[in-house]
Amino acid sequence: KLAEKSDDGFDGITDELNEGKVQFFYIACDVGGMKKYCMVGFCGPSVTGPQRGNFNNHYTEFSKWLKVH
């Protein structure tokens, strides 16, 4: 589920980070006049148990989903 869309690049991520959530970001940035894309996964320090344990699996699933869409 897309929670937010922004044009702020990396600067916008810091406003969206939540200590109690697992979050994934797909960011488009201009680097030397070319558009580059970056996938970022964040597992907040307050995330515990199964959610923390499944973080790597969810990161891989998100990566696969991005390749298809």
Side-chain angles (χ1 to χ4, degrees), residues 2-21:
L2 180 63
E4 177 103 14
K5 185 176 180 182
S6 174
D7 294 330
D8 296 336
F10 284 107
D11 294 333
I13 288 178
T14 56
D15 296 336
E16 298 303 320
L17 293 177
N18 184 322
E19 287 189 5
K21 287 187 175 183

Side-chain angles (χ1 to χ4, degrees), residues 46-57:
S46 298
V47 175
T48 59
Q51 279 187 318
R52 182 170 284 283
N54 285 325
F55 176 76
N56 286 335
N57 293 335

Side-chain angles (χ1 to χ4, degrees), residues 20-69:
K21 287 187 175 183
V22 172
Q23 295 171 290
F24 300 98
F25 301 91
Y26 188 62
I27 305 162
C29 296
D30 285 327
V31 178
M34 295 178 62
K35 195 156 251 193
K36 299 287 184 173
Y37 296 91
C38 180
M39 186 176 101
V40 177
F42 175 76
C43 186
S46 298
V47 175
T48 59
Q51 279 187 318
R52 182 170 284 283
N54 285 325
F55 176 76
N56 286 335
N57 293 335
H58 291 263
Y59 188 87
T60 302
E61 296 274 327
F62 182 59
S63 175
K64 290 177 183 176
W65 182 85
L66 283 174
K67 289 178 184 177
V68 175
H69 293 86

